[in-house]
Amino acid sequence: MNQLYLVAFKSILTKEINRFTRIWIQTLVPPAITMTLYFLIFGNLVGSRIGEMGGVSYMEFIAPGLIMMSVITNSYSNVASSFYSAKFQRNLEEIMVAPVPHYVMIAGYVGGGVARGLCVGLIVTLVAMFFVNISLHHVGLVILTVFLTSVLFSLGGLINAVFAKSFDDISIIPTFVLTPLTYLGGVFYSLSLLPDFWQGVSGLNPVVYMINVFRYGFLGFADISVPLSVAIMVGFCVTLWTLAYYLISRGIGLRS
C-alpha cells in the first residue's frame, strides 16, 4: 500500500513539474526579467545614492529579499492556478476518489509549488550574481528557509484555490494580501530604520521572519532572532497543512 501512495505522489508531482516546465517562457523567464529590473533600478540607480545598509552595499542587502520575493510569488501562484484548474475542469474528482490518502494529494501539489519556487529562486540567484558578489554565511539555513517558505506559500495557494469560485478569486489574495506583505516585509529596508511602533507592527507580518532568516544566511546579520523566525515559519507550515488537510478531507469548496 505504501508503494501505491508513492506512485500517486510521484504522479502528481511529475504532472505539476511538467506543467510549469512545459511553458517555461511564461513561468521561469518573467521572474528573471522582473528581478533584473529590480536590481538595475533599486539596486544600481537608487542603491548608489543610499550607500551602505547593515554594513554592506544596498544591492547586497536587497539581493536575498528579492530572491525570497520571487520564491514566495511563484510557489503560491503555481499551486493556486494548478489546483483551481483541476477543480474547475473536474479532474480533481478522479484524484479524490482514488484509493490514496488526502495528504498524498496535498504533498504532490505542494511539491510542485516547491519545485517551481526553488527553480525560480535559483534562476534569480544566478541573475543576482551578475550584479553583486553572492556569499553564503550559513548554507544550511538558506536551504531550510527557502524550503519552508516555499512549502508555506504553496499551502497558502492550495487553500486559496479550495475557496476560489472563479479564476478572478485566485488573484485577490496575491494582489491585496501577498504583495503588501512582501513589500512591507523588509525586502528594501532594514527594520532598524523604522520607529519602535512600526517595528512592532512589522512583527505581525510573517514575511518579515522569512526574509530576516534568509538574509542572515547570506549576510550573517539579522534584525530579529533567527531561532524565533524559524519557529514561526515551522508553526505557519504546520497550521496551513492542518487547515488544508481539514478542508480537503471534508470536501469544503470541492463538492458542488
Side-chain angles (χ1 to χ4, degrees), residues 199-244:
Q199 287 188 33
V201 172
S202 297
L204 302 176
N205 183 355
V207 177
V208 166
Y209 300 96
M210 303 167 199
I211 293 177
N212 178 73
V213 180
F214 199 59
R215 182 172 285 129
Y216 178 81
F218 275 92
L219 305 177
F221 65 86
D223 297 321
I224 307 174
S225 168
V226 172
L228 173 63
S229 300
V230 173
I232 289 176
M233 286 191 292
V234 172
F236 268 102
C237 286
V238 173
T239 301
L240 291 186
W241 178 278
T242 303
L243 177 58

Side-chain angles (χ1 to χ4, degrees), residues 92-143:
L92 196 62
E93 296 177 358
E94 300 175 6
I95 304 178
M96 294 290 290
V97 299
V100 292
H102 294 120
Y103 67 80
V104 173
M105 179 180 68
I106 297 173
Y109 277 99
V110 170
V114 171
R116 177 173 168 183
L118 295 181
C119 285
V120 171
L122 178 60
I123 291 172
V124 174
T125 301
L126 295 176
V127 169
M129 294 174 67
F130 287 97
F131 298 93
V132 64
N133 293 324
I134 298 292
S135 60
L136 295 176
H137 282 70
H138 303 279
V139 178
L141 198 57
V142 168
I143 296 173

Side-chain angles (χ1 to χ4, degrees), residues 44-253:
N44 193 13
L45 300 179
V46 177
S48 61
R49 296 178 178 271
I50 294 177
E52 291 190 351
M53 184 170 292
V56 298
S57 68
Y58 186 67
M59 189 173 290
E60 286 182 88
F61 179 84
I62 67 172
L66 292 177
I67 295 171
M68 185 58 73
M69 186 165 67
S70 65
V71 170
I72 289 172
T73 54
N74 283 274
S75 298
Y76 193 98
S77 62
N78 189 79
V79 182
S81 60
S82 177
F83 194 84
Y84 179 76
S85 295
K87 186 175 76 169
F88 178 77
Q89 296 169 358
R90 297 192 177 279
N91 298 331
L92 196 62
E93 296 177 358
E94 300 175 6
I95 304 178
M96 294 290 290
V97 299
V100 292
H102 294 120
Y103 67 80
V104 173
M105 179 180 68
I106 297 173
Y109 277 99
V110 170
V114 171
R116 177 173 168 183
L118 295 181
C119 285
V120 171
L122 178 60
I123 291 172
V124 174
T125 301
L126 295 176
V127 169
M129 294 174 67
F130 287 97
F131 298 93
V132 64
N133 293 324
I134 298 292
S135 60
L136 295 176
H137 282 70
H138 303 279
V139 178
L141 198 57
V142 168
I143 296 173
L144 175 64
T145 304
V146 74
F147 176 75
L148 289 176
T149 301
S150 190
V151 168
L152 195 159
F153 283 95
S154 294
L155 288 167
L158 190 148
I159 294 171
N160 183 188
V162 167
F163 286 108
K165 296 182 178 179
S166 67
F167 283 100
D168 292 335
D169 293 338
I170 296 177
S171 63
I172 292 178
I173 298 298
T175 301
F176 295 103
V177 178
L178 205 58
T179 300
L181 288 179
T182 304
Y183 278 89
L184 297 175
V187 174
F188 300 104
Y189 58 87
S190 172
L191 297 183
S192 60
L193 300 176
L194 301 176
D196 292 339
F197 173 77
W198 290 109
Q199 287 188 33
V201 172
S202 297
L204 302 176
N205 183 355
V207 177
V208 166
Y209 300 96
M210 303 167 199
I211 293 177
N212 178 73
V213 180
F214 199 59
R215 182 172 285 129
Y216 178 81
F218 275 92
L219 305 177
F221 65 86
D223 297 321
I224 307 174
S225 168
V226 172
L228 173 63
S229 300
V230 173
I232 289 176
M233 286 191 292
V234 172
F236 268 102
C237 286
V238 173
T239 301
L240 291 186
W241 178 278
T242 303
L243 177 58
Y245 183 81
Y246 172 80
L247 294 173
I248 292 178
S249 62
R250 293 297 184 92
I252 298 175

Side-chain angles (χ1 to χ4, degrees), residues 16-36 70 74-75 77-78 112-125 127:
E16 289 300 296
I17 293 176
N18 289 338
R19 179 178 174 272
F20 73 81
T21 54
R22 187 173 61 252
I23 52 172
W24 59 273
I25 294 181
Q26 301 176 37
T27 56
L28 301 180
V29 174
I33 296 175
T34 301
M35 292 305 150
T36 299
S70 65
N74 283 274
S75 298
S77 62
N78 189 79
V114 171
R116 177 173 168 183
L118 295 181
C119 285
V120 171
L122 178 60
I123 291 172
V124 174
T125 301
V127 169

